[in-house]
Amino acid sequence: MSRKAERLRVLDELAPPELWPDIRLREPRVLPDEPMQGHRVLAAALAFVVAIAGLGVVVFAFRGEPAPPALGPATVPSQLTFIRNGELWAIEENGTERRISLEPEGSVNGVSWSPDGDRMAVSIEVNSGTEGGQFHLYVANADGDQARRLTDGISDRLPAWSPDGSTIAFTRDLSDGEQEIFAVHAEGGEVAQLTDTDGSNLEPTWSPDGSRLAFTSTRDGNGNSEIYVMDADGSDPIRLTDDPGWDAGPAWSSDDRIAYTSDGPEPGIFLIDPTAIEPTLLLADPDPFDAFVAWSPDARSLAVTSRRDGTPRLFRFDFETRSLVHLASGDLLWGPAWRPFAQDAADGPAPLTQANPMISASIPVGPQGNTNAILYAEGSVWVAAAFVEGGGGVDRSMLFRVDASTNEIVAEIPLEGGPTFVSGGGGLAYGFGSVWVAGYAQVDGAQQAVVQRVDTASNRVVATIPVGGTYGADVALDQRGVWVAYFGEQHASVGLIDPGTDSAIADVPLPSDYVRRITVGSGGVVATELEWNGVESPCFVLTAIDPASATIGARERLGPGCAGAQLFEWNGEMWASAGGDLLRVDPVTAQLVGEPISFEPEHFPRSFVFGTGREVWFGAYPGGDGNRPDRLARLDAVSGQIEYYLQVGGIDAVFAPETRTIWILEFDGSLTRVDLYDR
Amino acid sequence: MANPPYLRVGRDTPCGVETSPDREQEVERLYRTEGARLWRAVMAYSGDREIANDAVAEAFAQVLARGEAVRELLPWLWRSAYRIAAGELKARSRSAAALAEVPYEMPEPVADLVAALARLTQKQRAAVVLHDYADLTTAEVARIMGIASATVRVHVSQARRRLRRQLEVRDV
């Protein structure tokens, strides 16, 4: 026994009382139901559509049971854009908004993205000069430059890019005040008129196979607007709706549903199957004239602009959680459109890495047992180490910077206070030209949770920012600033630091007294708390923080057996690894989405976990119950197979996608470089 | 790979209850062989004899009542006793400082240790007692506390460092 453990052996001198009579006679209290280990049951089959690159439907089912219906086509990483006050905006992955500036001056009127997400078709209302009031149709690069005029029409609007990328349908205002639908090759050329009827035909949207178009029309002559479908060449029009409401704004999903708005007796957003008769009300909306809808490429979400609560807002409706998530506000909101991200393989799942991981370097960094956090930024791997003995019994901590191209330690940066945790990862984040370290330090004679800002140009600590509490646990960044999770003896909070002033500008107390990790996702900030509730199992809780208002949103308790909750990004989505399950998390609501990927206990991801393409890489100790992960493992999310590779002792790991390198921080304080070579 | 996929779906599920005389004998055997160590650990963790008595007795009573539903007795007992004590501590809202002020008769080295333990955070105290005194592995401590084994190591190392300083100062 170690001398450290020997110190507690004096407890053996304590004489316990005889309790057995009490045990036999006592009436056990009613405790909350607690799951028993060893009684995990197999539910029906798992059908899981994994978030991977590609458009194919990827379902895997297990145990030979019939699989429930798939949730839909595979999730395609995508970005939502919208028009506000004539400007084009994008919702970034972390929930912030970014304006996309367009070269042609004027008000953006309508946008449609190419299937590969590299370009946009955009109609712009020219505001000045002799062409003022005209609508010009352009194709531009995704960042808004290289715009070129697509047609010579002066009232061409509302483009819709075909699924095969070849054609752009649009609405043209004619001189008689009516509209008709036209189409043009995506590279330009002659325009083809697809409709020519009394009344107006407008707002085209493509069927997923590109063979048909749905659109809005008043051709019946009764003054009302209905939804129609026609072939892509304009032939065989069929009226889809027939109701007293003004039906408009159709959007055709990749799983063959059409959403549209109607102001009939039940005003709102409706869904209709192109072959069905009866539409169904999806969302009541008292003011559907201001509602515009757009399907996400995977058809799991519908972007909706609405004035449902009196203020124009952009929402995302999630079909799995049936939740409506507020994304943006503005005086004039319309034109939501989803930009698919470019795919390497447009017609199938991402390829599986023919992995033959090789350790190509092992770099001694910090002292054994005391290195903690790892980060990849600016071509460097950053490692935080706590309690590097500084002589004279004084603890000090360090941040090491390793050049990822030379594998050399290029900077050893003394920290004013240590990272809180000497294992378990977390506590480092990158942004605003700095590496940010959560930890604690002596401030004004007292220990306080701090965030230290390390300038990456000078490799020096340029700010030590107290945030309250005793221990800083973790940091994460979005464009609002630096989010820090911290805790004290009996409270935990999430704070926000303004990187402009290096001072705390918001604080969100959490219900529990322990917070471990924080991360940002698309539209939300999520913290992991550990909740203690009497004798019930202590359990991790995912807590959503609304980044706009810096207030607590919904919380999701992960349930018993949830030890070791970690959050990670996989194909642009937030995932949690907890208790042997991989769970997809809505970053806005912190709610779990879809079915978990569950592992048998001997294959639990125990330490680091991250996803790339169709793969999840993690540290595990297969079949053992040792104290440390000792194998690098990979789950192929399509086949469900797990393969084990190298012996590693990973505390945490980061992935450098450009070189397909996994950097693993080992318990012995070294940094292992693993390059994924093809076989 | 020829083996079936390793994934499965399913959640922990409570199970039925059966009791048998054999089970009672087995539980008593465990009480006789493990009860003292369990009690001392809970005592060191809670700093309170009454909490230790209640948590240990209640954990064993729960095992008796649940019968065969509990498959792995010892891990279940450790987890339950710890959680009952943690719940009681939380209910009483005891602070570490308050614990230190509630001494009772015990040998001086033990009293010193309990006083030093009382200055740790509750989680540091639990981790170091379960790991260093009860000789549980980090993974076992993690399961009992419901936290990551890596976090257990943090708490143990921080607790050891603080204990060393406090107890070595006393020794001088």
Side-chain angles (χ1 to χ4, degrees):
Chain A
M1 178 180 302
S2 70
R3 185 166 176 274
K4 291 170 180 171
E6 187 69 38
R7 195 174 285 122
L8 274 76
R9 279 294 143 215
V10 297
L11 289 171
D12 287 336
E13 297 179 30
L14 283 175
E18 170 61 47
L19 295 173
W20 187 248
D22 176 28
I23 291 168
R24 291 199 67 216
L25 296 175
R26 94 166 24 212
E27 188 70 28
R29 294 197 288 267
V30 176
L31 302 181
D33 276 340
E34 186 187 11
M36 301 297 154
Q37 66 181 71
H39 286 253
R40 313 195 87 169
V41 295
L42 290 172
L46 164 66
F48 172 70
V49 182
V50 67
I52 58 172
L55 296 170
V57 177
V58 182
V59 177
F60 50 93
F62 303 99
R63 307 287 179 186
E65 302 282 345
L71 297 173
T75 298
V76 178
S78 55
Q79 183 177 47
L80 179 59
T81 61
F82 64 101
I83 300 166
R84 176 166 52 201
N85 297 329
E87 298 171 346
L88 182 60
W89 289 79
I91 306 280
E92 298 283 26
E93 191 174 303
N94 59 17
T96 57
E97 299 164 8
R98 174 177 62 89
R99 186 181 169 194
I100 300 174
S101 297
L102 291 154
E103 282 178 352
E105 289 188 7
S107 297
V108 179
N109 173 263
V111 169
S112 178
W113 291 92
S114 63
D116 61 7
D118 285 346
R119 293 186 293 169
M120 69 175 101
V122 55
S123 56
I124 293 180
E125 183 179 8
V126 181
N127 294 332
S128 60
T130 57
E131 296 181 328
Q134 297 181 0
F135 292 95
H136 294 177
L137 190 58
Y138 296 88
V139 167
N141 285 346
D143 55 6
D145 62 9
Q146 303 287 317
R148 61 176 175 76
R149 194 90 179 264
L150 188 64
T151 65
D152 56 8
I154 58 170
S155 56
D156 293 347
R157 307 187 286 125
L158 306 176
W161 208 311
S162 69
D164 67 359
S166 67
T167 309
I168 294 168
F170 60 95
T171 303
R172 174 172 286 179
D173 298 331
L174 302 179
S175 56
D176 60 3
E178 304 288 5
Q179 291 98 26
E180 298 295 350
I181 293 170
F182 289 72
V184 63
H185 193 278
E187 304 306 324
E190 292 296 314
V191 299
Q193 185 167 354
L194 303 183
T195 60
D196 184 11
T197 67
D198 291 339
S200 287
N201 299 285
L202 66 159
E203 300 179 321
T205 176
W206 291 90
S207 66
D209 64 1
S211 67
R212 291 181 293 170
L213 287 160
F215 58 102
T216 303
S217 179
T218 59
R219 63 177 66 188
D220 286 348
N222 60 6
N224 198 14
S225 169
E226 307 288 357
I227 305 299
Y228 281 73
V229 170
M230 64 182 177
D231 287 350
D233 62 1
S235 62
D236 291 335
I238 302 167
R239 191 166 82 180
L240 214 56
T241 63
D242 184 8
D243 59 63
W246 186 275
D247 303 336
W252 207 324
S253 74
S254 60
D255 65 353
D256 221 18
R257 290 176 289 173
I258 296 173
Y260 66 95
T261 62
S262 179
D263 70 346
E266 276 188 308
I269 296 163
F270 288 78
L271 294 181
I272 191 166
D273 183 313
T275 61
I277 298 171
E278 284 300 318
T280 57
L281 178 65
L282 175 69
L283 276 173
D285 191 323
D287 199 359
F289 272 125
D290 282 316
F292 296 83
V293 297
W295 289 95
S296 64
D298 59 13
R300 292 171 186 244
S301 301
L302 193 69
V304 178
T305 60
S306 168
R307 199 189 283 271
R308 58 192 304 110
D309 57 0
T311 305
R313 296 181 195 275
L314 174 67
F315 297 94
R316 188 188 70 226
F317 179 79
D318 189 320
F319 280 87
E320 287 170 23
T321 62
R322 313 293 294 182
S323 59
L324 200 58
V325 180
H326 175 214
L327 299 177
S329 303
D331 291 338
L332 281 169
L333 283 180
W334 76 96
W338 295 83
R339 175 194 172 196
F341 286 146
Q343 304 297 318
D344 293 332
D347 57 355
L352 186 68
T353 299
Q354 293 302 303
N356 183 21
M358 300 280 288
I359 294 179
S360 56
S362 180
I363 307 152
V365 182
Q368 179 166 355
N370 284 3
T371 53
N372 171 35
I374 184 169
L375 173 75
Y376 181 75
E378 293 191 3
S380 296
V381 183
W382 304 75
V383 174
F387 314 119
V388 180
E389 292 293 334
V394 178
D395 289 342
R396 66 190 178 113
S397 301
M398 302 287 281
L399 183 66
F400 298 94
R401 179 175 189 169
V402 177
D403 186 319
S405 58
T406 64
N407 301 334
E408 298 287 334
I409 296 176
V410 293
E412 297 184 24
I413 305 160
L415 299 173
E416 293 175 30
T420 292
F421 295 94
V422 293
S423 61
L428 288 179
Y430 171 77
F432 306 106
S434 305
V435 170
W436 302 79
V437 188
Y440 61 91
Q442 293 292 318
V443 179
D444 297 331
Q447 180 178 315
Q448 287 198 41
V450 297
V451 172
Q452 291 170 88
R453 179 176 193 166
V454 177
D455 175 46
T456 55
S458 63
N459 290 328
R460 295 182 58 185
V461 174
V462 293
T464 298
I465 306 154
V467 292
T470 317
Y471 296 105
D474 200 8
V475 280
L477 274 68
D478 66 12
Q479 291 199 345
R480 290 176 175 80
V482 181
W483 297 90
V484 52
Y486 69 92
F487 59 94
E489 184 64 33
Q490 289 189 338
H491 89 284
S493 272
V494 168
L496 177 61
I497 293 168
D498 177 0
T501 61
D502 286 338
S503 59
I505 54 173
D507 188 77
V508 187
L510 299 172
S512 72
D513 61 1
Y514 184 81
V515 59
R516 183 60 183 90
R517 300 296 285 267
I518 189 165
T519 189
V520 298
S522 179
V525 177
V526 175
T528 59
E529 297 179 71
L530 190 64
E531 184 179 72
W532 297 69
N533 182 17
V535 298
E536 207 174 351
S537 306
C539 203
F540 272 101
V541 177
L542 303 179
T543 301
I545 313 290
D546 178 7
S549 63
T551 57
I552 285 189
R555 303 173 83 228
E556 172 85 14
R557 197 159 184 270
L558 286 180
C562 60
Q566 295 185 54
L567 294 173
F568 63 101
E569 182 191 310
W570 184 14
N571 292 328
E573 296 189 312
M574 186 183 292
W575 287 76
S577 168
D581 290 332
L582 301 182
L583 309 142
R584 192 150 61 93
V585 179
D586 183 330
V588 176
T589 64
Q591 305 300 296
L592 304 180
V593 181
E595 291 287 339
I597 299 176
S598 299
F599 293 78
E600 297 289 359
E602 64 267 33
H603 305 292
F604 277 15
R606 299 284 177 176
S607 58
F608 61 85
V609 52
F610 61 86
T612 171
R614 63 191 269 181
E615 302 157 2
V616 177
W617 292 86
F618 57 98
Y621 38 101
D625 60 352
N627 292 337
R628 42 175 279 189
D630 60 6
R631 296 286 291 278
L632 174 64
R634 180 189 68 177
L635 163 71
D636 173 4
V638 175
S639 70
Q641 303 296 335
I642 294 171
E643 289 193 58
Y644 289 96
Y645 300 105
L646 309 161
Q647 295 279 339
V648 292
I651 295 172
D652 203 356
V654 291
F655 184 62
E658 59 267 38
T659 55
R660 291 196 68 74
T661 300
I662 301 172
W663 292 89
I664 301 172
L665 185 55
E666 305 273 348
F667 286 112
D668 66 4
S670 66
L671 190 58
T672 298
R673 176 186 182 129
V674 178
D675 288 302
L676 302 182
Y677 294 107
D678 287 347
R679 281 193 177 113
Chain B
M1 188 178 288
N3 295 326
Y6 292 110
L7 308 181
R8 54 113 185 100
V9 68
R11 295 283 189 182
D12 291 330
T13 308
C15 41
V17 173
E18 291 178 30
T19 315
S20 73
D22 288 347
R23 170 49 62 111
E24 183 170 332
Q25 288 180 24
E26 187 183 354
V27 174
E28 181 169 6
R29 181 185 64 77
L30 267 182
Y31 172 75
R32 298 300 171 198
T33 56
E34 301 289 336
R37 193 163 64 110
L38 178 60
W39 182 88
R40 292 187 187 111
V42 178
M43 171 66 212
Y45 163 62
S46 65
D48 188 304
R49 177 178 284 266
E50 294 307 316
I51 289 178
N53 292 352
D54 180 64
V56 172
E58 183 66 26
F60 276 97
Q62 292 280 346
V63 162
L64 278 180
R66 291 172 186 239
E68 302 295 331
V70 179
R71 284 188 175 179
E72 295 186 49
L73 288 176
L74 199 54
W76 201 97
L77 282 165
W78 276 99
R79 205 162 60 240
S80 296
Y82 167 77
R83 290 173 182 172
I84 291 166
E88 185 61 26
L89 279 176
K90 184 145 185 157
R92 295 189 189 184
S93 299
R94 283 180 178 274
S95 68
L99 290 177
E101 294 163 2
V102 190
Y104 68 100
E105 286 186 27
M106 58 176 74
E108 188 177 342
V110 185
D112 287 348
L113 176 63
V114 171
L117 285 168
R119 294 193 184 90
L120 305 180
T121 69
Q122 194 170 308
K123 295 182 184 73
Q124 287 172 346
R125 200 160 55 237
V128 77
V129 167
L130 293 171
H131 188 271
D132 282 2
Y133 174 71
D135 285 339
L136 302 178
T137 67
T138 316
E140 288 167 337
V141 176
R143 279 194 284 274
I144 290 170
M145 296 179 68
I147 62 179
S149 58
T151 312
V152 171
R153 281 189 290 274
V154 178
H155 290 316
V156 170
S157 79
Q158 291 182 340
R160 283 176 175 174
R161 200 166 50 248
R162 289 177 67 177
L163 282 178
R164 183 186 67 211
R165 287 175 185 164
Q166 292 177 37
L167 295 173
E168 285 175 358
V169 166
R170 279 172 187 272
D171 291 345
V172 173

PDB file of all heavy atoms in Angstrom, chain A residues 502-518:
ATOM      1  N   ASP A 502     -12.069  41.887 -21.426  1.00  0.00           N
ATOM      2  CA  ASP A 502     -11.563  40.849 -20.525  1.00  0.00           C
ATOM      3  C   ASP A 502     -12.236  40.922 -19.157  1.00  0.00           C
ATOM      4  O   ASP A 502     -11.587  40.826 -18.103  1.00  0.00           O
ATOM      5  CB  ASP A 502     -10.044  40.936 -20.364  1.00  0.00           C
ATOM      6  CG  ASP A 502      -9.319  40.444 -21.607  1.00  0.00           C
ATOM      7  OD1 ASP A 502      -9.925  39.671 -22.373  1.00  0.00           O
ATOM      8  OD2 ASP A 502      -8.160  40.827 -21.806  1.00  0.00           O
ATOM      9  N   SER A 503     -13.525  41.124 -19.155  1.00  0.00           N
ATOM     10  CA  SER A 503     -14.258  41.150 -17.893  1.00  0.00           C
ATOM     11  C   SER A 503     -15.561  40.366 -18.043  1.00  0.00           C
ATOM     12  O   SER A 503     -16.094  40.224 -19.150  1.00  0.00           O
ATOM     13  CB  SER A 503     -14.584  42.600 -17.485  1.00  0.00           C
ATOM     14  OG  SER A 503     -15.354  43.224 -18.490  1.00  0.00           O
ATOM     15  N   ALA A 504     -16.037  39.874 -16.903  1.00  0.00           N
ATOM     16  CA  ALA A 504     -17.264  39.093 -16.913  1.00  0.00           C
ATOM     17  C   ALA A 504     -18.450  40.025 -17.145  1.00  0.00           C
ATOM     18  O   ALA A 504     -18.555  41.082 -16.506  1.00  0.00           O
ATOM     19  CB  ALA A 504     -17.423  38.337 -15.605  1.00  0.00           C
ATOM     20  N   ILE A 505     -19.338  39.642 -18.050  1.00  0.00           N
ATOM     21  CA  ILE A 505     -20.484  40.493 -18.358  1.00  0.00           C
ATOM     22  C   ILE A 505     -21.804  39.799 -18.075  1.00  0.00           C
ATOM     23  O   ILE A 505     -22.862  40.410 -18.165  1.00  0.00           O
ATOM     24  CB  ILE A 505     -20.465  40.965 -19.830  1.00  0.00           C
ATOM     25  CG1 ILE A 505     -20.353  39.764 -20.782  1.00  0.00           C
ATOM     26  CG2 ILE A 505     -19.341  41.943 -20.056  1.00  0.00           C
ATOM     27  CD1 ILE A 505     -20.495  40.137 -22.250  1.00  0.00           C
ATOM     28  N   ALA A 506     -21.776  38.543 -17.747  1.00  0.00           N
ATOM     29  CA  ALA A 506     -23.023  37.848 -17.419  1.00  0.00           C
ATOM     30  C   ALA A 506     -22.695  36.662 -16.534  1.00  0.00           C
ATOM     31  O   ALA A 506     -21.590  36.126 -16.566  1.00  0.00           O
ATOM     32  CB  ALA A 506     -23.740  37.374 -18.695  1.00  0.00           C
ATOM     33  N   ASP A 507     -23.676  36.285 -15.740  1.00  0.00           N
ATOM     34  CA  ASP A 507     -23.497  35.134 -14.870  1.00  0.00           C
ATOM     35  C   ASP A 507     -24.840  34.410 -14.762  1.00  0.00           C
ATOM     36  O   ASP A 507     -25.870  35.028 -14.506  1.00  0.00           O
ATOM     37  CB  ASP A 507     -23.022  35.572 -13.481  1.00  0.00           C
ATOM     38  CG  ASP A 507     -22.653  34.361 -12.639  1.00  0.00           C
ATOM     39  OD1 ASP A 507     -21.567  33.798 -12.866  1.00  0.00           O
ATOM     40  OD2 ASP A 507     -23.464  33.965 -11.772  1.00  0.00           O
ATOM     41  N   VAL A 508     -24.808  33.129 -14.982  1.00  0.00           N
ATOM     42  CA  VAL A 508     -26.036  32.334 -14.956  1.00  0.00           C
ATOM     43  C   VAL A 508     -25.889  31.266 -13.875  1.00  0.00           C
ATOM     44  O   VAL A 508     -25.231  30.255 -14.075  1.00  0.00           O
ATOM     45  CB  VAL A 508     -26.277  31.650 -16.323  1.00  0.00           C
ATOM     46  CG1 VAL A 508     -27.643  30.981 -16.337  1.00  0.00           C
ATOM     47  CG2 VAL A 508     -26.147  32.650 -17.454  1.00  0.00           C
ATOM     48  N   PRO A 509     -26.465  31.478 -12.690  1.00  0.00           N
ATOM     49  CA  PRO A 509     -26.372  30.445 -11.648  1.00  0.00           C
ATOM     50  C   PRO A 509     -27.085  29.176 -12.094  1.00  0.00           C
ATOM     51  O   PRO A 509     -28.147  29.227 -12.714  1.00  0.00           O
ATOM     52  CB  PRO A 509     -27.082  31.086 -10.446  1.00  0.00           C
ATOM     53  CG  PRO A 509     -27.118  32.540 -10.743  1.00  0.00           C
ATOM     54  CD  PRO A 509     -27.184  32.663 -12.228  1.00  0.00           C
ATOM     55  N   LEU A 510     -26.484  28.053 -11.778  1.00  0.00           N
ATOM     56  CA  LEU A 510     -27.057  26.770 -12.149  1.00  0.00           C
ATOM     57  C   LEU A 510     -27.770  26.152 -10.956  1.00  0.00           C
ATOM     58  O   LEU A 510     -27.433  26.443  -9.810  1.00  0.00           O
ATOM     59  CB  LEU A 510     -25.956  25.825 -12.643  1.00  0.00           C
ATOM     60  CG  LEU A 510     -25.189  26.296 -13.879  1.00  0.00           C
ATOM     61  CD1 LEU A 510     -24.008  25.380 -14.160  1.00  0.00           C
ATOM     62  CD2 LEU A 510     -26.102  26.372 -15.089  1.00  0.00           C
ATOM     63  N   PRO A 511     -28.726  25.274 -11.212  1.00  0.00           N
ATOM     64  CA  PRO A 511     -29.471  24.673 -10.095  1.00  0.00           C
ATOM     65  C   PRO A 511     -28.609  23.763  -9.224  1.00  0.00           C
ATOM     66  O   PRO A 511     -28.875  23.610  -8.044  1.00  0.00           O
ATOM     67  CB  PRO A 511     -30.563  23.869 -10.800  1.00  0.00           C
ATOM     68  CG  PRO A 511     -30.674  24.463 -12.158  1.00  0.00           C
ATOM     69  CD  PRO A 511     -29.311  24.950 -12.512  1.00  0.00           C
ATOM     70  N   SER A 512     -27.603  23.143  -9.787  1.00  0.00           N
ATOM     71  CA  SER A 512     -26.804  22.213  -9.000  1.00  0.00           C
ATOM     72  C   SER A 512     -25.566  22.932  -8.474  1.00  0.00           C
ATOM     73  O   SER A 512     -25.388  24.125  -8.692  1.00  0.00           O
ATOM     74  CB  SER A 512     -26.404  21.013  -9.855  1.00  0.00           C
ATOM     75  OG  SER A 512     -25.424  21.415 -10.791  1.00  0.00           O
ATOM     76  N   ASP A 513     -24.712  22.157  -7.791  1.00  0.00           N
ATOM     77  CA  ASP A 513     -23.516  22.795  -7.226  1.00  0.00           C
ATOM     78  C   ASP A 513     -22.238  22.302  -7.887  1.00  0.00           C
ATOM     79  O   ASP A 513     -21.165  22.462  -7.344  1.00  0.00           O
ATOM     80  CB  ASP A 513     -23.463  22.571  -5.711  1.00  0.00           C
ATOM     81  CG  ASP A 513     -23.379  21.099  -5.351  1.00  0.00           C
ATOM     82  OD1 ASP A 513     -23.352  20.261  -6.275  1.00  0.00           O
ATOM     83  OD2 ASP A 513     -23.346  20.784  -4.154  1.00  0.00           O
ATOM     84  N   TYR A 514     -22.375  21.686  -9.042  1.00  0.00           N
ATOM     85  CA  TYR A 514     -21.175  21.175  -9.707  1.00  0.00           C
ATOM     86  C   TYR A 514     -21.390  21.193 -11.201  1.00  0.00           C
ATOM     87  O   TYR A 514     -22.375  20.662 -11.709  1.00  0.00           O
ATOM     88  CB  TYR A 514     -20.896  19.748  -9.243  1.00  0.00           C
ATOM     89  CG  TYR A 514     -19.630  19.142  -9.777  1.00  0.00           C
ATOM     90  CD1 TYR A 514     -18.398  19.425  -9.202  1.00  0.00           C
ATOM     91  CD2 TYR A 514     -19.665  18.268 -10.856  1.00  0.00           C
ATOM     92  CE1 TYR A 514     -17.230  18.856  -9.691  1.00  0.00           C
ATOM     93  CE2 TYR A 514     -18.500  17.689 -11.343  1.00  0.00           C
ATOM     94  CZ  TYR A 514     -17.290  17.982 -10.759  1.00  0.00           C
ATOM     95  OH  TYR A 514     -16.152  17.410 -11.241  1.00  0.00           O
ATOM     96  N   VAL A 515     -20.484  21.832 -11.883  1.00  0.00           N
ATOM     97  CA  VAL A 515     -20.561  21.854 -13.336  1.00  0.00           C
ATOM     98  C   VAL A 515     -19.203  21.423 -13.855  1.00  0.00           C
ATOM     99  O   VAL A 515     -18.169  21.782 -13.298  1.00  0.00           O
ATOM    100  CB  VAL A 515     -20.970  23.245 -13.853  1.00  0.00           C
ATOM    101  CG1 VAL A 515     -19.976  24.315 -13.420  1.00  0.00           C
ATOM    102  CG2 VAL A 515     -21.151  23.257 -15.361  1.00  0.00           C
ATOM    103  N   ARG A 516     -19.198  20.607 -14.881  1.00  0.00           N
ATOM    104  CA  ARG A 516     -17.934  20.040 -15.326  1.00  0.00           C
ATOM    105  C   ARG A 516     -17.514  20.535 -16.698  1.00  0.00           C
ATOM    106  O   ARG A 516     -16.383  20.910 -16.903  1.00  0.00           O
ATOM    107  CB  ARG A 516     -18.035  18.505 -15.345  1.00  0.00           C
ATOM    108  CG  ARG A 516     -16.742  17.799 -15.718  1.00  0.00           C
ATOM    109  CD  ARG A 516     -15.629  18.133 -14.743  1.00  0.00           C
ATOM    110  NE  ARG A 516     -14.379  17.490 -15.157  1.00  0.00           N
ATOM    111  CZ  ARG A 516     -13.476  18.021 -15.962  1.00  0.00           C
ATOM    112  NH1 ARG A 516     -13.684  19.230 -16.457  1.00  0.00           N
ATOM    113  NH2 ARG A 516     -12.371  17.393 -16.283  1.00  0.00           N
ATOM    114  N   ARG A 517     -18.406  20.512 -17.655  1.00  0.00           N
ATOM    115  CA  ARG A 517     -18.019  20.894 -19.014  1.00  0.00           C
ATOM    116  C   ARG A 517     -19.038  21.866 -19.593  1.00  0.00           C
ATOM    117  O   ARG A 517     -20.197  21.898 -19.193  1.00  0.00           O
ATOM    118  CB  ARG A 517     -17.937  19.657 -19.932  1.00  0.00           C
ATOM    119  CG  ARG A 517     -16.951  18.606 -19.497  1.00  0.00           C
ATOM    120  CD  ARG A 517     -15.517  19.099 -19.528  1.00  0.00           C
ATOM    121  NE  ARG A 517     -14.999  19.189 -20.879  1.00  0.00           N
ATOM    122  CZ  ARG A 517     -14.317  18.224 -21.491  1.00  0.00           C
ATOM    123  NH1 ARG A 517     -14.087  17.088 -20.869  1.00  0.00           N
ATOM    124  NH2 ARG A 517     -13.857  18.393 -22.716  1.00  0.00           N
ATOM    125  N   ILE A 518     -18.567  22.642 -20.548  1.00  0.00           N
ATOM    126  CA  ILE A 518     -19.468  23.535 -21.276  1.00  0.00           C
ATOM    127  C   ILE A 518     -19.063  23.514 -22.736  1.00  0.00           C
ATOM    128  O   ILE A 518     -17.883  23.382 -23.056  1.00  0.00           O
ATOM    129  CB  ILE A 518     -19.430  24.963 -20.690  1.00  0.00           C
ATOM    130  CG1 ILE A 518     -20.530  25.821 -21.308  1.00  0.00           C
ATOM    131  CG2 ILE A 518     -18.063  25.615 -20.880  1.00  0.00           C
ATOM    132  CD1 ILE A 518     -20.799  27.086 -20.548  1.00  0.00           C
TER     133      ILE A 518
END
